Amino acid sequence: MLLVSSTKRMENEILKRKPVDSRYEVFKEPNWWQKWGLEAFIILGGLATINLIFFANAYTETDTVNPENAAQLGDFVGGYIGTIFTLISVVLLVSTLKNQIEASRIEKFENKYFELIKMHRENVTEFGTDKYNGKKLFVLIIREFRLIQKIVKEVATDLSLSFTDEQFFSISYYVLFIGVGPNSSRMLLKALSIYGSNFASTVEKKLNDEETKDRYKKERNLEYTPFEGHQSRLGHYFRHLFQAISYVDDQKTYINKYDYVKTIRAQLTTHEQALLFINSLSPIGKSWNDIKLIARYKLVKNIPEDFFDPQKEINLTSYFPSDYFEWQENQTASS
C-alpha cells in the first residue's frame, strides 16, 4: 500500500513537471485564485470588517472583566459568530450564482456550437454531382487540383519561369477556386497578375478550351467539367468552417477548446483536410494561418504520410512541428 502511494505521488510530480507545449492549444485548468478569488476576497474583507469592532473604545478602555460585562461579552460573541455564519452564507450564495452564470455561458456556447456543426454537415451534404455527393466530391476536387498543378507547371516551364512549391500550390488553388469562364476568367487574370500578365493569360487560355476540358474530364474520370471553378461550393464551406472553429477559439470561459475543435476535425475527411491545407497556403485562406488555427488545433493532423509527394508537390512536414501529424505520433509511440 505504501509502495502504491509512493508511486502515485511520483507520477503526480512528473505530470506537474511536464512542460506545456505552447505550439498547440492546451486546456489550462483555472488556478485556485481564478476559481475562488471572489469568495476569498469576500471572506477576508468580511472578517476584517467584523473585527474592526474590537478597536472600539468600549473594548479597549479597561482590562478588567466583571460578570455583567462577561454576559454582555457572551451576547457579543453570539452575535459575532452569527455574523461570521451570515458572511459564509453570502459567500456560498455568491459562489452558487457564479457557478450558475458560468454553466449558463457554457450551455449557451454549446447550443450554438452544435448548431454550427449541424450546419457544416448540411453544407457538405449539399455538395454533389450525379454519382458523387457530399464528402466524396472532395476526392474529385483534389484530383482536379493535381491536374491543374500539372498544367500550371507545364506553362511555367514553357515560359522559363520558376516558382516555389508553395507558389505553385497557391496558383493552382486560385485556378481551382475561381476557374475560367465569361466572368471567372476576368477574376482569375487579376488574381494571377502578380505572377506576370503573360503567365496568367497563358494559363487562362490553356484551361479555357472546351476540347481540353472534355479530354481531361474523360482522362481523370471527373463527374463534372473541370476548370470552371468551385467558388459556389468552397466559398461558403470554408467561411462556415472558419466561423465554427474561430467561435470556439474566441471563448473566454474555462472550456477545453482543443476537445471541442477536435470534434469538428473529426467531421473532416482526409481530402477535406488536404484541401484545407491547400486553401491556407493561398491568399484566399490566409486567415487560417494569421491566427494559427491550423497549427494550434492540429486541423490537418490526419493527412497521411506522403499524401503530397514531397519531391513533386510539397513537403508537408516542413510546415508543422515534428510531432504534429497522427502518423508521427504513431511512430514516436512505437519507437
Side-chain angles (χ1 to χ4, degrees), residues 3 8 45 57 85 132 158 203 247 264 274 288 316 320:
L3 179 60
K8 189 66 176 177
N57 290 333
F85 277 110
Y132 285 77
D158 292 341
V203 169
Y247 174 67
I264 299 176
W288 290 102
L316 187 64
F320 302 100

Side-chain angles (χ1 to χ4, degrees), residues 9-183:
R9 284 198 301 271
M10 290 176 63
E11 290 176 352
N12 290 336
E13 288 299 319
I14 292 173
L15 289 174
K16 289 179 181 178
R17 293 196 301 267
K18 185 178 180 180
V20 175
D21 195 335
S22 60
R23 297 170 301 180
Y24 308 129
E25 185 65 29
V26 178
F27 175 60
K28 297 179 181 178
E29 286 280 358
N31 58 38
W32 190 91
W33 280 109
Q34 289 172 322
K35 281 185 175 180
W36 308 108
L38 179 60
E39 290 86 342
F41 175 77
I42 293 175
I43 290 176
L44 294 176
L47 288 175
T49 303
I50 292 171
N51 282 279
L52 287 176
I53 194 171
F54 289 111
F55 293 94
N57 290 333
Y59 297 97
T60 59
E61 61 185 4
T62 179
D63 294 331
T64 61
V65 178
N66 58 38
E68 183 179 351
N69 289 340
Q72 293 176 353
L73 180 62
D75 293 337
F76 160 73
V77 170
Y80 177 76
I81 298 299
T83 306
I84 291 178
F85 277 110
T86 301
L87 175 63
I88 293 174
S89 299
V90 171
V91 171
L92 292 176
L93 176 61
V94 170
S95 179
T96 300
L97 291 175
K98 188 176 73 171
N99 290 336
Q100 287 178 347
I101 292 172
E102 186 70 11
S104 177
R105 287 175 180 170
I106 293 176
E107 182 181 7
K108 182 179 179 181
F109 155 74
E110 288 187 339
N111 287 338
K112 183 175 180 180
Y113 165 77
F114 287 115
E115 184 64 26
L116 289 172
I117 290 182
K118 180 182 177 182
M119 291 173 63
H120 171 75
R121 290 173 178 169
E122 291 174 351
N123 287 341
V124 174
T125 304
E126 292 175 0
F127 285 22
T129 61
D130 293 338
K131 294 183 179 180
Y132 285 77
N133 53 53
K135 295 181 179 296
K136 294 180 180 179
L137 186 62
F138 285 93
V139 177
L140 297 184
I141 293 176
I142 290 293
R143 190 181 300 171
E144 182 187 357
F145 171 80
R146 286 183 159 132
L147 171 60
I148 293 171
Q149 190 181 27
K150 172 179 173 293
I151 295 172
V152 167
K153 287 185 176 181
E154 289 174 354
V155 172
T157 301
D158 292 341
L159 297 177
S160 300
L161 296 174
S162 178
F163 298 114
T164 65
D165 292 339
E166 185 171 321
Q167 287 175 323
F168 274 124
F169 261 53
S170 182
I171 294 168
S172 301
Y173 185 73
Y174 265 133
V175 176
L176 177 77
F177 186 83
I178 300 173
V180 294
N183 293 316

Side-chain angles (χ1 to χ4, degrees), residues 311-330:
Q311 303 300 324
K312 297 180 180 180
E313 293 181 303
I314 201 166
N315 184 4
L316 187 64
T317 58
S318 66
Y319 290 86
F320 302 100
S322 59
D323 59 347
Y324 180 90
F325 292 98
E326 185 177 34
W327 58 267
Q328 292 173 325
E329 293 176 353
N330 294 336

